[in-house]
């Protein structure tokens, strides 16, 4: 453009101005389309969000209905009674285990606590090596070989 003079320069200038006008027009259209696309995307997001909300509310309604229906099948008094029965059975079981664990022929009520304390104090005074040497003398301190437990099925007898 700097080397051209006269009417040719004016024509080039006019064409350059037209190109700049079209460029600005295209940029404006691009910006408008970008804004429109943003608005459409935002609306699509809101529509999708609303659909999700409706679906969530429907699920909550269905869940609440189902929970109410199922809760009607539950009787809290029966549950409490069941818990009490289980607790009683556990207590009875513990009682049976205590009875089964008692040593036959031994009356622990006749044992003198002071005598036991005296024996324990005497054991504390003993040297461990002396105790190991004395253990050979007492049969009840030796490990015994007990018979194995029966493996055959036990048949219940008639009472």
């Amino acid at each position: 453009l700097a080397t051209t003079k006269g009417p040719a320069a004016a024509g080039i200038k006019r064409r350059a101005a037209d190109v700049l006008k079209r460029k600005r027009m295209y940029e404006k259209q691009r910006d408008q389309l970008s804004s429109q696309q943003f608005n459409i995307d935002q609306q699509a997001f809101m529509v999708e969000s609303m659909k999700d909300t409706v679906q969530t509310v429907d699920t909550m309604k269905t869940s609440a209905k189902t929970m109410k229906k199922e809760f009607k099948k539950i009787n809290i008094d029966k549950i409490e009674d069941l818990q009490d029965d289980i607790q009683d059975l556990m207590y009875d079981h513990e009682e049976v285990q205590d009875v089964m664990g008692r040593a036959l022929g031994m009356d622990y009520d006749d044992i003198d606590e002071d005598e036991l304390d005296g024996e324990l104090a005497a054991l504390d005074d003993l040297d461990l090596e002396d105790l190991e040497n004395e253990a050979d003398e007492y049969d009840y301190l030796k490990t015994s070989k007990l018979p194995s437990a029966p493996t055959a099925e036990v048949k219940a007898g008639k009472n």
Side-chain angles (χ1 to χ4, degrees):
L1 192 64
T3 58
T4 312
K5 295 186 180 178
I12 293 174
K13 237 183 188 183
R14 199 172 350 121
R15 277 190 282 162
D18 286 343
V19 169
L20 286 175
K21 284 180 188 176
R22 271 188 266 143
K23 178 185 172 204
R24 287 183 186 154
M25 180 184 70
Y26 291 145
E27 287 174 346
K28 186 177 179 181
Q29 283 180 342
R30 181 196 66 204
D31 292 343
Q32 287 174 342
L33 288 174
S34 178
S35 293
Q36 289 174 1
Q37 185 63 45
F38 175 78
N39 291 338
I40 289 171
D41 289 344
Q42 191 175 17
Q43 289 173 359
F45 176 76
M46 285 192 298
V47 167
E48 199 62 36
S49 178
M50 291 298 285
K51 286 180 181 179
D52 290 344
T53 302
V54 168
Q55 186 178 10
T56 301
V57 170
D58 288 343
T59 302
M60 289 170 66
K61 286 178 184 176
T62 303
S63 296
K65 262 187 208 176
T66 303
M67 288 169 53
K68 285 178 184 177
K69 181 181 173 185
E70 293 300 317
F71 192 74
K72 287 179 183 178
K73 296 177 186 178
I74 297 173
N75 183 340
I76 192 69
D77 293 331
K78 286 185 179 180
I79 293 172
E80 286 176 346
D81 290 344
L82 181 61
Q83 286 284 11
D84 291 342
D85 289 346
I86 291 171
Q87 187 67 35
D88 289 343
L89 288 170
M90 290 176 70
Y91 177 75
D92 291 344
H93 174 73
E94 187 177 322
E95 232 180 295
V96 167
Q97 292 302 313
D98 287 344
V99 169
M100 296 297 292
R102 286 186 201 153
L104 298 176
M106 292 291 293
D107 189 7
Y108 290 110
D109 293 333
D110 291 343
I111 296 176
D112 184 16
E113 291 292 325
D114 292 332
E115 187 179 320
L116 285 177
D117 289 339
E119 285 184 44
L120 184 59
L123 286 175
D124 284 341
D125 294 338
L126 282 178
D127 187 17
L128 288 178
E129 290 179 16
D130 291 340
L131 187 60
E132 288 174 359
N133 292 335
E134 289 179 20
D136 294 333
E137 298 174 22
Y138 302 108
D139 281 343
Y140 69 89
L141 293 176
K142 293 181 182 178
T143 57
S144 61
K145 294 190 178 190
L146 297 175
S148 60
T151 57
E153 184 178 324
V154 177
K155 294 183 181 178
K158 294 182 181 178
N159 291 342

